[in-house]
Amino acid sequence: MSAAGRDDDVVLGRAYDARLVRRLATYVRPYRGLVLASLATLFASSGVQLVQPYLVKLGIDGSIRRGTVAGLGAVAGWYLLSLVADFALRFAQLYLLERTGQNVVLDLRMHVFSHMERLPAAYFDRTPVGRLVTRITTDVEALNEAFTSGLVLILADLVKLAGIVAILLWLDWRMALVTFAIVPPMAVLSRFFRDRIRAAYREVRRMVARLNAFLQESVAGMRLVQLFVRERETLEEFRALNRSHRDADLRSVVYDSAFSAVTELVGSIAVAAIVWAGGWRILSGAMSFGTLVAFLQYANRFFQPVQELSQRYAVMQAAMASSERIFGLLDAEPEGGRRRAAVRSPARPRGEIAFEGVTFAYRAGEPVLHDVSFRVAAGERVALVGWTGSGKSTVVRLLTRLYEVDKGRITLDGRDVRDIDLADLRRSVGVVLQDPFLFAGSVERNVALDDPDVDARRVREAARAVGADRFIERLPRGYAEEIRERGSNLSVGEKQLLSFARALAFDPPVLVLDEATSSIDPETERRIQDALLTLLHGRTAIVIAHRLSTVRDCDRILVLHRGRLREQGTHDELVRLEGGVYRALHALQT
C-alpha cells in the first residue's frame, strides 16, 4: 500500500459539526451523570479561581492600607481555603472527565470492532489494513482527547472569560476597556498563526502516515529486501522520509514557538498598559492600589484561556475529522444487510449444495462467474479444477457468503444460503484455505478458536485424524506450545496440518479444501489423503486443486474455464474427452 493512499486519514475539517456531535452524544448519554458532575466541579473550580484575586484586593485595600494586621489573617485563611478547594475541585473534575472519556472510548472502540467483524470481505479488499487499525486506535483516541481536552474545557474557558469580563467591568469599567483593547490584535494574531499551525500539523500527520506505511511494508518484506540486497536503497528511502518528517515537525515547532512568544509579548504589553493607566488613576484617587493588583491578576487569567482557545480549536478539528472517518466505517453496510432476517435452523444440514445460474463480478462489468449451475449431492465428493483465474476459489467465497451473488442463487439443502443464519451457514461449511493463518497462542487454542463446543478431546482427535499429532507431540509443551505471530515457529506444512485439524474439530457437514495441500510435501500429502478417505465419509466435500493427482478419486470433477462450467465427469471420462480442458491440464502435468 503506498503512503499516498493513507493521506486522506490526516485531512482536517471543521472544528464543530453538529451532525457528528449528535452521533457522538449517543455514546456519552449513558454517562451523563459523570458529565454533569464533572461540569459542576468545573464551574465550581472556575468560581473559586475568580474569587482569589478579589481576596488579594480586600487584603491590600483593607488591613495593609490601614497598616494593621487585624483582619489580614481572615483574608489569608480564606485565600488558603480557596487554594485547597481549587485543588480538590480540579482533581475531581479531571478525574470525572477522564473516567467519562475512557468509558466512551471503551464503548466506541468495542462498537467499531464489533461492526468491523460483520463487514463483508469486499470491504476489506478495498480498504487497507493500516487504515482500519487507525480507525480503532488513533481516531478513537483523538475523540477522547477532544472530549477531555477540547469541548468541555472550551466551555470552561468561555465561562471563565465571561466571569472575568463581568468582574473587570464591575471593578472599574474604564480599566476594563484598557484590558479589552488588546483583544482585537490578539484575535488577528491567533487567526494568523492558527491557520499556519493547522497546515503544519496536517503536514506532520501526513509524513507520519507515510513513515508508518513505509515501516510496515519494509518490516513485513524484510526477507525480500535482504534476499535482493536492497538494504542500501531501502535505507536511503527511509532516510528521505525521515528527513521530510523532521522538517515538517520543525516547521510546526517554529509556528508554535512564534505564536507562544507573540502572545506572551502581547500579554506583557497589556500588563504594561494596565500598570500605566492604573498608575494614573491611583494618583488621581479614582482607583485603589488593591484594585490595580486585582486587575493585573485578572488580566493574566483573561489572556490564558484566549491563548488556549486556539490550541483547543486544533484538537476539535482533528477530532471532527476522526469522527467523520469512524462513522464512515460504521455506516458501511454489514454482511447480509440487504436481505431479510435469516432464521436459525436447529437441524444439522445434510450437505446438499446447488448453484443455480450464478453470475458474479468483483468489479462491475467484469464477471468472474457466468451463469454457473451444478449440484452436489449430500455426501458426494466433488473436485473443482481449471486454469488460474477460472473462478474456482470464487465458488467457495460465494458458498460461505464472503461475497453475495449478483444473479442466480446458491442453496444448501434446498434453502437459499442468504436465508440461512450466517453463523449456522459457516458452521456447516468447513474451509481449509491455501494460505493457513494462525493466531498467537497455544496449539490447542488455534485449533479450538476458544469455541466452548470444541474441547481438548476433540482437538486431539482432529489432530490425530490428519496426522498433526506427530509433530505436535514433539513440541516442548505439546498442545500447550505457544505459536508465535503468523506461526513463524512452524513450517508451512505444519501450519496447514493445524488448519485441517481446526476445520475437522468443528465437525462440519460440508468440507471445502481450497488448494489445501499445495504447501505440503508429498509424504505429508499422502498421509492426509489416507486420512481424508475416512474423514470425508458421510460429508459433502468440495476439493479445489491444481494438482490433478489429488482429485482422481473424487466422485465427480467439475472443470471451470473462464468463469463457465465447461465439463464434468470422472477422471477417466474427462481424460478421454477429445479437445477437453481437463485433458489439456492432465497432459501438461503428466
Side-chain angles (χ1 to χ4, degrees):
M1 174 64 189
S2 65
R6 301 171 191 265
D7 290 351
D8 67 317
D9 285 350
V10 298
V11 174
L12 303 179
R14 290 179 289 175
Y16 180 81
D17 189 317
R19 177 180 57 87
L20 296 175
V21 170
R22 282 195 297 270
R23 294 189 67 173
L24 289 171
T26 60
Y27 296 94
V28 180
R29 194 168 293 119
Y31 308 103
R32 52 183 174 271
L34 287 174
V35 174
L36 292 175
S38 176
L39 289 174
T41 55
L42 186 150
F43 294 145
S45 175
S46 298
V48 169
Q49 292 176 40
L50 294 179
V51 168
Q52 293 168 358
Y54 189 75
L55 289 174
V56 172
K57 167 185 159 39
L58 292 179
I60 293 174
D61 290 344
S63 300
I64 295 177
R65 186 175 64 83
R66 292 193 302 266
T68 176
V69 296
L72 190 60
V75 173
W78 281 108
Y79 192 88
L80 180 62
L81 183 62
S82 72
L83 292 176
V84 174
D86 185 30
F87 167 79
L89 289 169
R90 281 194 187 190
F91 173 83
Q93 183 261 323
L94 290 173
Y95 174 78
L96 291 171
L97 199 58
E98 286 290 343
R99 185 181 180 88
T100 306
Q102 290 302 322
N103 283 329
V104 171
V105 165
L106 173 69
D107 293 347
L108 183 58
R109 204 168 261 151
M110 289 297 297
H111 187 195
V112 173
F113 186 78
S114 173
H115 181 79
M116 193 183 299
E117 287 185 313
R118 295 182 289 114
L119 290 175
Y123 185 87
F124 298 97
D125 289 343
R126 62 178 181 266
T127 308
V129 174
R131 188 175 298 172
L132 294 174
V133 172
T134 300
R135 296 292 175 273
I136 300 179
T137 54
T138 307
D139 283 335
V140 172
E141 198 57 42
L143 293 182
N144 177 49
E145 186 178 357
F147 189 77
T148 57
S149 305
L151 192 61
V152 175
L153 293 187
I154 286 175
L155 179 62
D157 288 340
L158 293 175
V159 170
K160 190 182 296 184
L161 277 174
I164 292 174
V165 168
I167 292 174
L168 291 178
L169 290 171
W170 174 66
L171 288 175
D172 191 317
W173 67 269
R174 295 177 181 83
M175 286 292 295
L177 293 179
V178 174
T179 305
F180 302 154
I182 208 69
V183 172
M186 180 75 79
V188 172
L189 289 171
S190 295
R191 177 64 180 269
F192 175 82
F193 281 103
R194 184 189 68 196
D195 293 342
R196 282 151 183 80
I197 290 173
R198 179 179 62 183
Y201 175 72
R202 182 188 293 121
E203 180 65 13
V204 170
R205 290 286 299 274
R206 189 176 72 86
M207 294 311 304
V208 167
R210 292 184 62 187
L211 198 62
N212 288 341
F214 180 83
L215 284 172
Q216 181 181 356
E217 291 177 351
S218 298
V219 172
M222 189 57 68
R223 291 183 182 178
L224 197 62
V225 170
Q226 294 172 343
L227 286 172
F228 283 85
V229 197
R230 299 289 300 173
E231 293 92 342
R232 179 178 298 177
E233 290 79 4
T234 304
L235 181 61
E236 286 301 319
E237 190 174 352
F238 178 74
R239 181 177 285 115
L241 285 172
N242 210 15
R243 284 200 192 104
S244 298
H245 173 259
R246 179 202 60 189
D247 296 342
D249 211 0
L250 287 176
R251 281 193 294 273
S252 70
V253 169
V254 167
Y255 285 123
D256 195 31
S257 302
F259 179 59
S260 297
V262 169
T263 51
E264 285 291 334
L265 176 62
V266 172
S268 299
I269 293 173
V271 169
I274 292 171
V275 171
W276 179 79
W280 277 101
R281 290 186 63 75
I282 289 174
L283 293 176
S284 64
M287 186 172 131
S288 68
F289 184 71
T291 301
L292 177 60
V293 173
F295 251 93
L296 291 173
Q297 292 193 10
Y298 280 123
N300 284 330
R301 301 185 186 210
F302 177 79
F303 294 125
Q304 182 181 357
V306 171
Q307 297 169 10
E308 291 176 347
L309 281 173
S310 181
Q311 299 172 0
R312 304 202 197 288
Y313 178 90
V315 171
M316 290 301 299
Q317 200 171 40
M320 288 300 103
S322 293
S323 61
E324 184 79 48
R325 295 190 290 265
I326 289 172
F327 290 124
L329 170 60
L330 291 175
D331 289 339
E333 192 171 27
E335 289 182 310
R338 292 184 295 273
R339 294 289 294 183
R340 59 184 179 274
V343 179
R344 299 203 66 174
S345 174
R348 177 183 172 89
R350 293 179 294 105
E352 180 182 320
I353 298 168
F355 275 59
E356 300 174 1
V358 172
T359 297
F360 172 76
Y362 292 104
R363 290 186 295 183
E366 301 177 16
V368 177
L369 295 179
H370 304 264
D371 194 26
V372 173
S373 298
F374 63 86
R375 188 173 299 274
V376 182
E380 185 181 13
R381 286 178 295 166
V382 171
L384 286 177
V385 301
W387 303 103
T388 299
S390 60
K392 303 184 299 296
S393 295
T394 301
V395 168
V396 178
R397 294 167 187 164
L398 295 176
L399 174 62
T400 54
R401 287 189 63 198
L402 291 175
Y403 297 85
E404 301 287 3
V405 300
D406 296 330
K407 293 180 182 179
R409 69 171 191 156
I410 304 171
T411 65
L412 176 63
D413 290 351
R415 291 181 61 194
D416 193 318
V417 294
R418 290 169 293 188
D419 294 331
I420 302 175
D421 181 80
L422 201 55
D424 287 344
L425 173 66
R426 290 176 178 170
R427 280 186 172 274
S428 300
V429 182
V431 181
V432 180
L433 300 172
Q434 179 179 0
D435 298 319
F437 187 90
L438 299 181
F439 297 93
S442 68
V443 170
E444 181 174 325
R445 186 185 178 197
N446 264 279
V447 175
L449 296 180
D450 294 328
D451 191 291
D453 295 331
V454 182
D455 55 18
R457 179 185 59 81
R458 285 180 62 175
V459 168
R460 283 158 176 75
E461 287 178 353
R464 191 178 305 113
V466 300
D469 59 326
R470 300 186 184 183
F471 83 86
I472 294 175
E473 291 170 356
R474 291 198 302 267
L475 296 174
R477 299 178 60 196
Y479 287 88
E481 181 74 13
E482 289 291 313
I483 295 176
R484 293 195 289 268
E485 184 181 5
R486 294 181 296 180
S488 59
N489 53 333
L490 299 179
S491 70
V492 175
E494 289 170 341
K495 289 189 285 187
Q496 194 63 283
L497 286 172
L498 285 185
S499 296
F500 268 93
R502 176 192 294 163
L504 295 171
F506 283 81
D507 190 28
V510 179
L511 188 62
V512 178
L513 309 180
D514 188 359
E515 295 286 354
T517 60
S518 61
S519 301
I520 297 176
D521 60 87
E523 174 60 24
T524 305
E525 182 181 349
R526 185 188 61 78
R527 294 205 311 266
I528 289 178
Q529 293 294 338
D530 292 341
L532 288 177
L533 292 176
T534 303
L535 295 169
L536 296 180
H537 180 71
R539 281 192 179 90
T540 305
I542 298 178
V543 182
I544 298 174
H546 277 109
R547 296 209 300 256
L548 302 185
S549 60
T550 62
V551 300
R552 292 173 63 104
D553 296 328
C554 289
D555 299 324
R556 190 156 45 103
I557 299 173
L558 306 180
V559 183
L560 291 172
H561 186 62
R562 295 182 179 177
R564 299 182 186 276
L565 181 59
R566 293 298 178 87
E567 304 164 9
Q568 58 179 308
T570 64
H571 170 78
D572 293 334
E573 291 171 348
L574 294 175
V575 166
R576 292 194 298 267
L577 189 61
E578 287 289 340
V581 177
Y582 187 86
R583 180 168 178 168
L585 288 170
H586 184 263
L588 285 173
Q589 294 189 18
T590 58

